[in-house]
Amino acid sequence: MTTGGLVALACQMPGGALVDAMRSARLVAVLAVAAICLSALALAIWPTFLVVMAARVLHAGASCVLGPVIAAISLGLVGHAALGTRLGRNARFASIGNGLAAAAMGAAGYLVSNQAVFFLTAALAAPAILALARIRMGDVERPRDTHVAAATTSVRKVLSDRRLLVFAGCIMLFQLANAAMLPLMGGILTLRSSQWASTLIGACIVVPQLVVAGFAPWVGRVADSWGRRPLLLFCFLALALRGVLFAFVSDPYLIVVVQILDGVCAAVLGVALPLVVADITRGTGRFNLGLGIVGSAVGIGAALSTTLAGYAIDHFGSSVAFFSLASIAVCGLALVWLLLPETRPDAGPIASRGLNFVASDVEACIDRKAAMRSSGRPMVIPVNLSGRTVKFLTMIAVERVPAELRRRFSRSINLVARAHPTGEFRPKWKRLVATAIARLRFSPAT
């Protein structure tokens, strides 16, 4: 295990606890990006042994903080109900960014020099910091309905949460089975077709990124309707199938096709991991600490995977090594099936973004007819429009509204609220229906 890997493993939990303790998540993200920029400049200007080691340590520590803080900012911006959709978009943009950055750095190294790669890495910190500066501080510092503003639960209680420990064990088994698959197959491709090995390995890296970019937003949308456990079960099943196929497939082009399963696993896990941690730590104020615990499990699994797989392929052959990795994935599948409960909240989610109608609130307003009649106040319908509560007042008092019309209006609200589980009306026809209902006014003639 490299020095950077050791530092990353050691900093996962302290990094998460640091993000929980800091008042400004955006400030932590800016400092992490600046640290990565500094490490890249150090590698470009002073490539000595001590400077390289120090830059690796700085980069690893900043990376451990940057991942949790991005998830924390996302949670603060959209809340728990819309977190799945937001994480899916995050995974898409991360995949696109990785692909574009790799292409730009490869072109810089080929056309200019190897040193230009590090200067380009440092230059990319500027747009990242600019994007962070555009985030509205009020939405992140005081997240609505997320309960992450202050740490109210002790670290010991979070560490003893059975669901979090089981989930960390599942993720460790996933990384134990997944981390060594592509390196092992890369070595085999180099031996079988040395002329096209670099191209095939590049394709094996690019294909999963494309799958994540196209598949991750859908995973984020269905995470609320399907639940977290079905997605995790599908992820472990795809990983086990990938290991079995790698043991049998020898054609290099089919190996690239099999890598589609790697993209599926990356898309599901990229969304499900922070989402499950957010569900488990909801109301504790320890979301980033939970991410740090699971991140430590990721590091342990990845470190052990290459060691065990390398030993297996040296002593028993590639087929046995891939079957062993597939067996580990099956063990993770069984652990999810038997011990990990569904973490999705039972109550229907109410998104903090988009146009949302809460049927229960409308029913409560209609059911309070007697109280409103005594005061003569008009009926109030609360609607969440772009994160701001807007109260639409009818033009007449509630006792003037016919009972049949009130029932029809209530049924319409219920239908629209059930049309999308998160309350976000993305398709055009749903937006039109929602707008029409929002503008509905009762008149004495009605």
Side-chain angles (χ1 to χ4, degrees), residues 283-417:
T284 64
R286 298 291 185 180
F287 170 61
N288 297 284
L289 177 61
L291 284 179
I293 295 171
V294 178
S296 298
V298 170
I300 294 172
L304 295 177
S305 178
T306 52
T307 303
L308 296 178
Y311 178 84
I313 197 172
D314 288 339
H315 291 79
F316 306 104
S318 60
S319 297
V320 174
F322 284 120
F323 273 120
S324 301
L325 296 177
S327 301
I328 295 173
V330 172
C331 293
L333 178 67
L335 188 62
V336 173
W337 179 268
L338 297 175
L339 296 180
L340 184 66
E342 176 59 59
T343 61
R344 181 186 60 177
D346 294 333
I350 302 171
S352 59
R353 290 292 181 200
L355 184 60
N356 306 280
F357 288 87
V358 187
S360 59
D361 291 341
V362 178
E363 291 286 355
C365 293
I366 295 177
D367 291 342
R368 290 198 299 266
K369 181 177 63 174
M372 287 182 170
R373 183 185 294 115
S374 61
S375 59
R377 292 180 298 164
M379 184 172 66
V380 180
I381 304 176
V383 176
N384 195 339
L385 182 60
S386 299
R388 298 180 180 179
T389 300
V390 181
K391 293 184 177 180
F392 291 91
L393 303 180
T394 58
M395 297 179 64
I396 60 171
V398 69
E399 63 267 16
R400 300 284 296 276
V401 180
E404 179 62 24
L405 186 57
R406 290 201 305 271
R407 285 194 294 269
R408 291 181 181 179
F409 180 76
S410 177
R411 285 197 298 270
S412 300
I413 291 293
N414 279 320
L415 289 174
V416 175

Side-chain angles (χ1 to χ4, degrees), residues 123-145:
L124 290 176
I129 294 176
L130 180 62
L132 289 170
R134 299 287 296 173
I135 297 176
R136 292 174 293 182
M137 292 295 294
D139 291 345
V140 179
E141 299 307 320
R142 294 179 178 84
R144 293 173 298 275
D145 299 327

Side-chain angles (χ1 to χ4, degrees), residues 122-402:
L124 290 176
I129 294 176
L130 180 62
L132 289 170
R134 299 287 296 173
I135 297 176
R136 292 174 293 182
M137 292 295 294
D139 291 345
V140 179
E141 299 307 320
R142 294 179 178 84
R144 293 173 298 275
D145 299 327
T146 58
H147 305 290
V148 296
T152 58
T153 304
S154 65
V155 176
R156 182 178 179 181
K157 187 174 181 180
V158 175
L159 292 174
S160 61
D161 192 311
R162 178 180 175 273
R163 297 174 300 166
L164 186 61
L165 296 179
V166 171
F167 182 63
C170 296
I171 297 303
M172 186 181 70
L173 289 176
F174 178 89
Q175 290 298 327
L176 188 61
N178 178 72
M181 279 194 185
L182 185 57
L184 289 183
M185 185 50 67
I188 295 172
L189 288 176
T190 303
L191 294 176
R192 292 177 181 173
S193 55
S194 57
Q195 184 178 1
W196 296 96
S198 59
T199 303
L200 292 173
I201 293 173
C204 289
I205 296 174
V206 171
V207 167
Q209 298 292 334
L210 296 176
V211 175
V212 172
F215 190 57
W218 178 82
V219 174
R221 288 194 295 269
V222 303
D224 290 324
S225 57
W226 290 11
R228 286 48 159 158
R229 285 183 75 245
L231 291 176
L232 290 173
L233 292 172
F234 180 71
C235 179
F236 277 92
L237 183 62
L239 179 61
L241 180 61
R242 177 171 165 239
V244 173
L245 290 176
F246 274 168
F248 287 107
V249 174
S250 59
D251 188 284
Y253 299 101
L254 289 180
I255 290 173
V256 176
V257 175
V258 172
Q259 275 296 98
I260 294 176
L261 295 175
D262 187 24
V264 172
C265 294
V268 172
L269 200 65
V271 174
L273 191 152
L275 195 58
V276 172
V277 174
D279 294 337
I280 294 173
T281 59
R282 186 170 187 173
T284 64
R286 298 291 185 180
F287 170 61
N288 297 284
L289 177 61
L291 284 179
I293 295 171
V294 178
S296 298
V298 170
I300 294 172
L304 295 177
S305 178
T306 52
T307 303
L308 296 178
Y311 178 84
I313 197 172
D314 288 339
H315 291 79
F316 306 104
S318 60
S319 297
V320 174
F322 284 120
F323 273 120
S324 301
L325 296 177
S327 301
I328 295 173
V330 172
C331 293
L333 178 67
L335 188 62
V336 173
W337 179 268
L338 297 175
L339 296 180
L340 184 66
E342 176 59 59
T343 61
R344 181 186 60 177
D346 294 333
I350 302 171
S352 59
R353 290 292 181 200
L355 184 60
N356 306 280
F357 288 87
V358 187
S360 59
D361 291 341
V362 178
E363 291 286 355
C365 293
I366 295 177
D367 291 342
R368 290 198 299 266
K369 181 177 63 174
M372 287 182 170
R373 183 185 294 115
S374 61
S375 59
R377 292 180 298 164
M379 184 172 66
V380 180
I381 304 176
V383 176
N384 195 339
L385 182 60
S386 299
R388 298 180 180 179
T389 300
V390 181
K391 293 184 177 180
F392 291 91
L393 303 180
T394 58
M395 297 179 64
I396 60 171
V398 69
E399 63 267 16
R400 300 284 296 276
V401 180

